[in-house]
Amino acid sequence: MSKQELSHLERISEHSLYAAGVNTASILYSFQIARRHLRGTTLLEMGPAEGVMTKCLATLGLKMTLVEGSARFCDDLAARFPDAIVEHALFEEFEPSEQFDNIVLGHVLEHVQDPVGILARARRWLTPSGRIFGAVPNARSLHRQAAVMMGMLPVEDALNETDKHHGHRRVFTPETFRQAFSQAGLSIDLFGGYWMKPVSNAQIESDWTPQMVEAFMALGERYPDIAGEIYVLASNGSGA
């Protein structure tokens, strides 16, 4: 394994904010979308981190494999999900012994050095009718557009302080996100969004009710191009 990359992941895991505050609500809503499209009996979750999505996926009765680059997270996941296969590996080095009906990449592709390369590898791990569900933050989110207008960001896809804390290497637009899947040889079956986010997480956590959060999560599905989160459902084209 790349020692430098593994050290990078461990530093992030020591002070992780993936599941902090309203981020948990976003992950849970992402699961509600993903479960609409799950099929078959096997599932690979790439980069589960604290396992917020994993906890939901574990209720579905699928044979589940988890691949995670942080040893800290892997130890926790193995203890909490004893029925899952937990693999401590970088995605670039992971070599599964089976193919999967479903592959879930929740907030993964903004972290990796080569998202197209990771998607191309994941494509080989799909069963003929298998599909990949991937979700990332959207550079064109309303709150990022407002940040540019206020001079808080130079451009919409610039990395803000939260991005840097999370270890993000990029922020996708809807176009660049879809392009990554296409360049990896995948067929895009569905593009969508969720979480209409007009202001920062801190402002939302300070002033919004749970009912407001849920409503704005759903509103993002109506307006995916400017939602806070975007997703793609993709297949290898041979059995979708």
Side-chain angles (χ1 to χ4, degrees):
M1 294 186 189
S2 166
K3 291 183 179 180
Q4 183 177 2
E5 189 66 11
L6 288 171
S7 296
H8 169 72
L9 293 172
E10 291 303 336
R11 285 194 300 272
I12 294 171
S13 71
E14 288 173 4
H15 305 286
S16 175
L17 296 176
Y18 296 147
V22 75
N23 286 339
T24 293
S26 177
I27 296 169
L28 295 177
Y29 198 89
S30 179
F31 165 73
Q32 294 299 329
I33 294 174
R35 73 181 300 179
R36 301 170 192 166
H37 308 290
L38 298 178
R39 54 173 59 174
T41 60
T42 57
L43 181 144
L44 169 66
E45 185 183 9
M46 299 175 65
E50 292 101 333
V52 177
M53 173 77 85
T54 314
K55 184 177 180 180
C56 298
L57 294 170
T59 66
L60 301 179
L62 301 174
K63 180 184 177 184
M64 191 162 61
T65 299
L66 313 174
V67 57
E68 169 61 50
S70 163
R72 180 189 305 269
F73 285 150
C74 280
D75 290 344
D76 178 64
L77 292 164
R80 292 166 56 204
F81 305 105
D83 293 333
I85 299 168
V86 180
E87 299 279 358
H88 179 214
L90 297 175
F91 305 140
E92 295 85 351
E93 300 174 357
F94 179 56
E95 294 291 348
S97 59
E98 62 178 311
Q99 293 182 309
F100 302 94
D101 299 317
N102 311 278
I103 298 178
V104 175
L105 300 95
H107 283 228
V108 164
L109 295 172
E110 66 269 32
H111 290 268
V112 299
Q113 294 179 346
D114 179 9
V116 173
I118 295 301
L119 285 170
R121 286 179 62 80
R123 181 191 176 201
R124 300 201 303 266
W125 307 335
L126 286 171
T127 60
S129 62
R131 294 193 291 192
I132 293 175
F133 176 85
V136 296
N138 182 12
R140 205 160 292 144
S141 172
L142 283 180
H143 80 292
R144 283 185 175 269
Q145 294 192 50
V148 172
M149 291 179 177
M150 292 186 290
M152 298 172 66
L153 282 177
V155 291
E156 293 166 1
D157 61 355
L159 296 176
N160 60 32
E161 290 306 311
T162 300
D163 290 317
K164 295 173 184 176
H165 181 94
H166 286 320
H168 294 174
R169 289 185 162 105
R170 66 193 59 79
V171 187
F172 288 97
T173 65
E175 294 79 15
T176 59
F177 191 45
R178 290 192 293 262
Q179 185 180 52
F181 283 81
S182 297
Q183 289 178 342
L186 288 154
S187 299
I188 296 175
D189 301 331
L190 180 65
F191 167 79
Y194 57 98
W195 195 196
M196 186 62 67
K197 184 180 174 184
V199 294
S200 71
N201 282 9
Q203 291 167 305
I204 291 167
E205 290 160 7
S206 173
D207 299 323
W208 287 29
T209 65
Q211 292 78 11
M212 292 173 67
V213 171
E214 185 67 20
F216 277 81
M217 290 286 174
L219 273 175
E221 294 203 58
R222 298 186 183 182
Y223 309 101
D225 283 344
I226 56 172
E229 311 285 335
I230 48 179
Y231 68 88
V232 159
L233 183 72
S235 64
N236 60 21
S238 64

